[in-house]
Amino acid sequence: ASDVYKRQHREREIIELRYGLQTGTELTQREVGERFRISRSYVSRIEKRALLKLREGLKTYNCGSS
């Protein structure tokens, strides 16, 4: 798989774990970091980047639907 695909997959998994989208149980950044063997601060950066992408996607979607 390409690096871009791997990064997108990890971003999606981190958001799902942080907000409990699959299990209903939200995990802390520290808990997510332990699962991925990365630091809490790196989880934070990945999470912020992923949420920004989601917001930008929603803006584009909303602008295109009117």
Side-chain angles (χ1 to χ4, degrees):
S2 72
D3 288 339
V4 172
Y5 174 79
K6 287 179 187 176
R7 187 172 63 238
Q8 290 172 341
H9 183 72
R10 181 172 56 189
E11 288 174 355
R12 186 182 77 240
E13 283 188 290
I14 286 173
I15 294 299
E16 288 174 351
L17 291 169
R18 283 284 292 133
Y19 296 95
L21 300 178
Q22 297 294 325
T23 63
T25 302
E26 298 175 6
L27 299 182
T28 65
Q29 289 177 341
R30 183 175 307 281
E31 291 169 327
V32 173
E34 288 172 0
R35 285 195 182 198
F36 284 89
R37 294 190 169 118
I38 58 177
S39 70
R40 183 215 51 83
S41 62
Y42 192 47
V43 170
S44 177
R45 289 194 301 268
I46 293 170
E47 181 182 353
K48 286 178 186 177
R49 181 175 62 221
L51 291 174
L52 180 62
K53 286 180 184 180
L54 286 171
R55 284 187 199 105
E56 291 300 318
L58 286 173
K59 285 180 189 175
T60 302
Y61 177 78
N62 287 334
C63 289
S65 63
S66 27

